[in-house]
Amino acid sequence: MDLSMPGFELVQLKSGAESIRCRKHGETMHVGSGPSTEAAELHVNQQRIVERAVACQVEGNSPFVIWDVGLGPAGNALTTLEALRAIDAPVEIHSFEIDTAVLEFALKHSGALGYMAGWEPVLGELLERGEVQALPHVRWRLHRGDYLDQMCHAPPPSAIYHDPYSPARNPQMWSLEVFRAARERCAPDALLTNYTRSTAVRVTLALAGWAVGLGVATGDKDQTTIAAARAQMLERPLDAIWLRRVRASTNAAAFRGGRYAPGPIREADLRTLEALPQFAGR
Ligand SMILES: C[S@@+](CC[C@H](N)C(=O)[O-])C[C@H]1O[C@@H](n2cnc3c(N)ncnc32)[C@H](O)[C@@H]1O
């Protein structure tokens, strides 16, 4: 453990991969399967980033824009870059981070973490200059500060990796305000993926204007969450059975104003949810 940076520590996951634990939030990143595997399964493959970036180029809409929300130790971003080596379609990655201490910690331990190997100079330049040509066809930009304040500086995304700390520890980042602002700014073909299967998070996403579906299994999680700007993009949209669960749940209240206050859904929110195109008539 590096005592000069006491906010974080390296931990070995069940999979054998090394990851990072934030002591302040008491949370380990990529806890299920490790930084590269979780990033690939949950975000890169599920969002079909490589195919969609190529399609974007063919349709003349390049660059394909990705928002990497909560850069952290860059597991999602670097896994994306590795996948993008296979193509030459133009891509922009816009990472958002309120505190780069975890990335600085990770860089000091890049040997143990493994997934950073070879990317250290790129990460160094990103930290120093705020942007870097990560691959000949991929521009990578770092937006320092609070995501909600910074998102207006990034172009509309077709892909959002939503990866802050958990709703209990980081409720502002799972709030109606944040999801609504992202929905208003995103491209018409946007997908948003995250690691939770929380009913309250799904309710919040739906009320914010996203169509919401079941996401892939990864690590110990039998399902996660995927949201889309258009419902047709979802393979497994949430349905009437889920809506029934919302009505019965004691933990389905939408997140508002950065407060973590679990409880049943408000009556007015339930009416709004039931009237959404995804659920109307169910
Ligand atoms: C779980 S870690 C991200 C892991 C990372 N995506 C990866 O793939 O390695 C969560 C990160 O979100 C950042 N974060 C939390 N709140 C934020 C905010 N309001 N704006 C920007 N970043 C935030 C934290 O500082 C932390 O680095």
mmCIF file of all heavy atoms in Angstrom, residues 207-233:
data_model
loop_
_atom_site.group_PDB
_atom_site.id
_atom_site.type_symbol
_atom_site.label_atom_id
_atom_site.label_comp_id
_atom_site.label_asym_id
_atom_site.label_seq_id
_atom_site.Cartn_x
_atom_site.Cartn_y
_atom_site.Cartn_z
ATOM 1 N N LEU A 207 -38.120 8.064 -15.685
ATOM 2 C CA LEU A 207 -38.751 9.371 -15.470
ATOM 3 C C LEU A 207 -37.943 10.492 -16.142
ATOM 4 O O LEU A 207 -38.479 11.543 -16.470
ATOM 5 C CB LEU A 207 -38.898 9.659 -13.968
ATOM 6 C CG LEU A 207 -39.900 8.780 -13.216
ATOM 7 C CD1 LEU A 207 -39.849 9.083 -11.714
ATOM 8 C CD2 LEU A 207 -41.320 8.979 -13.735
ATOM 9 N N ALA A 208 -36.656 10.238 -16.341
ATOM 10 C CA ALA A 208 -35.794 11.243 -16.975
ATOM 11 C C ALA A 208 -35.894 11.201 -18.496
ATOM 12 O O ALA A 208 -35.218 11.970 -19.178
ATOM 13 C CB ALA A 208 -34.342 11.029 -16.541
ATOM 14 N N GLY A 209 -36.684 10.281 -19.035
ATOM 15 C CA GLY A 209 -36.890 10.267 -20.487
ATOM 16 C C GLY A 209 -36.183 9.160 -21.238
ATOM 17 O O GLY A 209 -36.201 9.129 -22.463
ATOM 18 N N TRP A 210 -35.545 8.255 -20.516
ATOM 19 C CA TRP A 210 -34.868 7.129 -21.165
ATOM 20 C C TRP A 210 -35.813 5.929 -21.257
ATOM 21 O O TRP A 210 -36.618 5.700 -20.344
ATOM 22 C CB TRP A 210 -33.640 6.703 -20.340
ATOM 23 C CG TRP A 210 -32.536 7.703 -20.323
ATOM 24 C CD1 TRP A 210 -32.359 8.702 -19.414
ATOM 25 C CD2 TRP A 210 -31.453 7.809 -21.250
ATOM 26 N NE1 TRP A 210 -31.228 9.436 -19.715
ATOM 27 C CE2 TRP A 210 -30.654 8.913 -20.836
ATOM 28 C CE3 TRP A 210 -31.062 7.094 -22.387
ATOM 29 C CZ2 TRP A 210 -29.509 9.303 -21.527
ATOM 30 C CZ3 TRP A 210 -29.916 7.483 -23.075
ATOM 31 C CH2 TRP A 210 -29.156 8.566 -22.649
ATOM 32 N N ALA A 211 -35.722 5.172 -22.348
ATOM 33 C CA ALA A 211 -36.338 3.847 -22.389
ATOM 34 C C ALA A 211 -35.364 2.923 -21.656
ATOM 35 O O ALA A 211 -34.147 3.043 -21.832
ATOM 36 C CB ALA A 211 -36.520 3.390 -23.831
ATOM 37 N N VAL A 212 -35.886 2.015 -20.838
ATOM 38 C CA VAL A 212 -34.994 1.266 -19.940
ATOM 39 C C VAL A 212 -35.180 -0.240 -20.127
ATOM 40 O O VAL A 212 -36.316 -0.724 -20.233
ATOM 41 C CB VAL A 212 -35.266 1.645 -18.462
ATOM 42 C CG1 VAL A 212 -34.240 0.990 -17.546
ATOM 43 C CG2 VAL A 212 -35.234 3.151 -18.285
ATOM 44 N N GLY A 213 -34.056 -0.950 -20.144
ATOM 45 C CA GLY A 213 -34.128 -2.392 -20.352
ATOM 46 C C GLY A 213 -33.175 -3.159 -19.445
ATOM 47 O O GLY A 213 -32.370 -2.573 -18.711
ATOM 48 N N LEU A 214 -33.304 -4.494 -19.527
ATOM 49 C CA LEU A 214 -32.403 -5.361 -18.771
ATOM 50 C C LEU A 214 -31.056 -5.392 -19.477
ATOM 51 O O LEU A 214 -30.983 -5.613 -20.688
ATOM 52 C CB LEU A 214 -32.951 -6.790 -18.727
ATOM 53 C CG LEU A 214 -34.340 -6.982 -18.112
ATOM 54 C CD1 LEU A 214 -34.679 -8.463 -18.058
ATOM 55 C CD2 LEU A 214 -34.356 -6.394 -16.701
ATOM 56 N N GLY A 215 -29.995 -5.212 -18.695
ATOM 57 C CA GLY A 215 -28.653 -5.270 -19.257
ATOM 58 C C GLY A 215 -28.035 -6.644 -19.049
ATOM 59 O O GLY A 215 -28.573 -7.469 -18.293
ATOM 60 N N VAL A 216 -26.912 -6.875 -19.680
ATOM 61 C CA VAL A 216 -26.243 -8.183 -19.628
ATOM 62 C C VAL A 216 -25.813 -8.546 -18.201
ATOM 63 O O VAL A 216 -25.639 -7.666 -17.349
ATOM 64 C CB VAL A 216 -24.968 -8.198 -20.502
ATOM 65 C CG1 VAL A 216 -25.310 -8.079 -21.973
ATOM 66 C CG2 VAL A 216 -23.992 -7.103 -20.059
ATOM 67 N N ALA A 217 -25.613 -9.837 -17.982
ATOM 68 C CA ALA A 217 -24.999 -10.308 -16.741
ATOM 69 C C ALA A 217 -23.496 -10.053 -16.828
ATOM 70 O O ALA A 217 -22.913 -10.109 -17.909
ATOM 71 C CB ALA A 217 -25.261 -11.794 -16.581
ATOM 72 N N THR A 218 -22.886 -9.741 -15.683
ATOM 73 C CA THR A 218 -21.418 -9.617 -15.663
ATOM 74 C C THR A 218 -20.922 -9.907 -14.246
ATOM 75 O O THR A 218 -21.543 -9.472 -13.271
ATOM 76 C CB THR A 218 -20.940 -8.218 -16.149
ATOM 77 O OG1 THR A 218 -19.512 -8.184 -16.093
ATOM 78 C CG2 THR A 218 -21.510 -7.070 -15.354
ATOM 79 N N GLY A 219 -19.831 -10.657 -14.148
ATOM 80 C CA GLY A 219 -19.306 -11.021 -12.832
ATOM 81 C C GLY A 219 -20.366 -11.741 -12.018
ATOM 82 O O GLY A 219 -21.015 -12.664 -12.493
ATOM 83 N N ASP A 220 -20.569 -11.254 -10.770
ATOM 84 C CA ASP A 220 -21.564 -11.870 -9.883
ATOM 85 C C ASP A 220 -22.986 -11.398 -10.177
ATOM 86 O O ASP A 220 -23.937 -11.890 -9.574
ATOM 87 C CB ASP A 220 -21.269 -11.465 -8.419
ATOM 88 C CG ASP A 220 -19.976 -12.076 -7.931
ATOM 89 O OD1 ASP A 220 -19.495 -13.006 -8.610
ATOM 90 O OD2 ASP A 220 -19.465 -11.615 -6.896
ATOM 91 N N LYS A 221 -23.134 -10.429 -11.062
ATOM 92 C CA LYS A 221 -24.469 -9.836 -11.276
ATOM 93 C C LYS A 221 -25.216 -10.583 -12.362
ATOM 94 O O LYS A 221 -24.698 -10.730 -13.473
ATOM 95 C CB LYS A 221 -24.319 -8.380 -11.683
ATOM 96 C CG LYS A 221 -23.745 -7.547 -10.581
ATOM 97 C CD LYS A 221 -23.457 -6.139 -11.028
ATOM 98 C CE LYS A 221 -22.632 -5.449 -9.974
ATOM 99 N NZ LYS A 221 -21.555 -4.649 -10.499
ATOM 100 N N ASP A 222 -26.433 -11.016 -12.053
ATOM 101 C CA ASP A 222 -27.200 -11.759 -13.065
ATOM 102 C C ASP A 222 -27.836 -10.815 -14.082
ATOM 103 O O ASP A 222 -28.253 -11.246 -15.154
ATOM 104 C CB ASP A 222 -28.264 -12.659 -12.405
ATOM 105 C CG ASP A 222 -29.266 -11.838 -11.595
ATOM 106 O OD1 ASP A 222 -28.987 -10.656 -11.301
ATOM 107 O OD2 ASP A 222 -30.334 -12.381 -11.269
ATOM 108 N N GLN A 223 -27.925 -9.547 -13.757
ATOM 109 C CA GLN A 223 -28.373 -8.561 -14.745
ATOM 110 C C GLN A 223 -27.879 -7.172 -14.340
ATOM 111 O O GLN A 223 -27.506 -6.932 -13.183
ATOM 112 C CB GLN A 223 -29.889 -8.560 -14.896
ATOM 113 C CG GLN A 223 -30.647 -8.324 -13.618
ATOM 114 C CD GLN A 223 -32.140 -8.186 -13.864
ATOM 115 O OE1 GLN A 223 -32.647 -7.075 -13.883
ATOM 116 N NE2 GLN A 223 -32.829 -9.296 -14.037
ATOM 117 N N THR A 224 -27.866 -6.280 -15.336
ATOM 118 C CA THR A 224 -27.461 -4.890 -15.111
ATOM 119 C C THR A 224 -28.544 -4.024 -15.777
ATOM 120 O O THR A 224 -29.667 -4.502 -15.951
ATOM 121 C CB THR A 224 -26.062 -4.647 -15.709
ATOM 122 O OG1 THR A 224 -26.073 -5.068 -17.082
ATOM 123 C CG2 THR A 224 -24.991 -5.421 -14.946
ATOM 124 N N THR A 225 -28.208 -2.800 -16.144
ATOM 125 C CA THR A 225 -29.227 -1.929 -16.748
ATOM 126 C C THR A 225 -28.689 -1.254 -18.011
ATOM 127 O O THR A 225 -27.548 -0.790 -18.031
ATOM 128 C CB THR A 225 -29.672 -0.848 -15.729
ATOM 129 O OG1 THR A 225 -30.252 -1.518 -14.601
ATOM 130 C CG2 THR A 225 -30.706 0.096 -16.335
ATOM 131 N N ILE A 226 -29.535 -1.250 -19.027
ATOM 132 C CA ILE A 226 -29.213 -0.500 -20.249
ATOM 133 C C ILE A 226 -30.380 0.437 -20.537
ATOM 134 O O ILE A 226 -31.545 0.054 -20.361
ATOM 135 C CB ILE A 226 -28.923 -1.442 -21.439
ATOM 136 C CG1 ILE A 226 -28.551 -0.635 -22.692
ATOM 137 C CG2 ILE A 226 -30.074 -2.387 -21.732
ATOM 138 C CD1 ILE A 226 -27.888 -1.481 -23.788
ATOM 139 N N ALA A 227 -30.068 1.665 -20.940
ATOM 140 C CA ALA A 227 -31.113 2.626 -21.290
ATOM 141 C C ALA A 227 -30.834 3.141 -22.696
ATOM 142 O O ALA A 227 -29.687 3.113 -23.158
ATOM 143 C CB ALA A 227 -31.103 3.780 -20.287
ATOM 144 N N ALA A 228 -31.900 3.582 -23.369
ATOM 145 C CA ALA A 228 -31.754 4.020 -24.755
ATOM 146 C C ALA A 228 -32.583 5.263 -25.003
ATOM 147 O O ALA A 228 -33.628 5.471 -24.380
ATOM 148 C CB ALA A 228 -32.216 2.910 -25.697
ATOM 149 N N ALA A 229 -32.104 6.077 -25.951
ATOM 150 C CA ALA A 229 -32.889 7.251 -26.330
ATOM 151 C C ALA A 229 -34.157 6.812 -27.054
ATOM 152 O O ALA A 229 -35.187 7.483 -26.980
ATOM 153 C CB ALA A 229 -32.048 8.169 -27.220
ATOM 154 N N ARG A 230 -34.070 5.689 -27.781
ATOM 155 C CA ARG A 230 -35.246 5.150 -28.491
ATOM 156 C C ARG A 230 -35.512 3.731 -28.015
ATOM 157 O O ARG A 230 -34.595 2.894 -28.005
ATOM 158 C CB ARG A 230 -34.989 5.130 -29.999
ATOM 159 C CG ARG A 230 -35.142 6.491 -30.647
ATOM 160 C CD ARG A 230 -35.051 6.407 -32.158
ATOM 161 N NE ARG A 230 -33.674 6.240 -32.604
ATOM 162 C CZ ARG A 230 -33.226 5.194 -33.286
ATOM 163 N NH1 ARG A 230 -34.039 4.211 -33.606
ATOM 164 N NH2 ARG A 230 -31.965 5.118 -33.656
ATOM 165 N N ALA A 231 -36.770 3.420 -27.674
ATOM 166 C CA ALA A 231 -37.114 2.107 -27.115
ATOM 167 C C ALA A 231 -36.767 0.969 -28.075
ATOM 168 O O ALA A 231 -36.398 -0.127 -27.644
ATOM 169 C CB ALA A 231 -38.601 2.065 -26.782
ATOM 170 N N GLN A 232 -36.854 1.230 -29.389
ATOM 171 C CA GLN A 232 -36.591 0.170 -30.383
ATOM 172 C C GLN A 232 -35.163 -0.353 -30.291
ATOM 173 O O GLN A 232 -34.860 -1.429 -30.809
ATOM 174 C CB GLN A 232 -36.810 0.684 -31.819
ATOM 175 C CG GLN A 232 -38.186 1.249 -32.101
ATOM 176 C CD GLN A 232 -38.244 2.732 -31.796
ATOM 177 O OE1 GLN A 232 -38.014 3.153 -30.647
ATOM 178 N NE2 GLN A 232 -38.557 3.554 -32.782
ATOM 179 N N MET A 233 -34.293 0.392 -29.657
ATOM 180 C CA MET A 233 -32.894 -0.049 -29.568
ATOM 181 C C MET A 233 -32.691 -1.101 -28.476
ATOM 182 O O MET A 233 -31.618 -1.697 -28.377
ATOM 183 C CB MET A 233 -31.988 1.153 -29.268
ATOM 184 C CG MET A 233 -31.992 2.191 -30.369
ATOM 185 S SD MET A 233 -30.927 3.570 -29.944
ATOM 186 C CE MET A 233 -29.300 2.836 -30.156
#
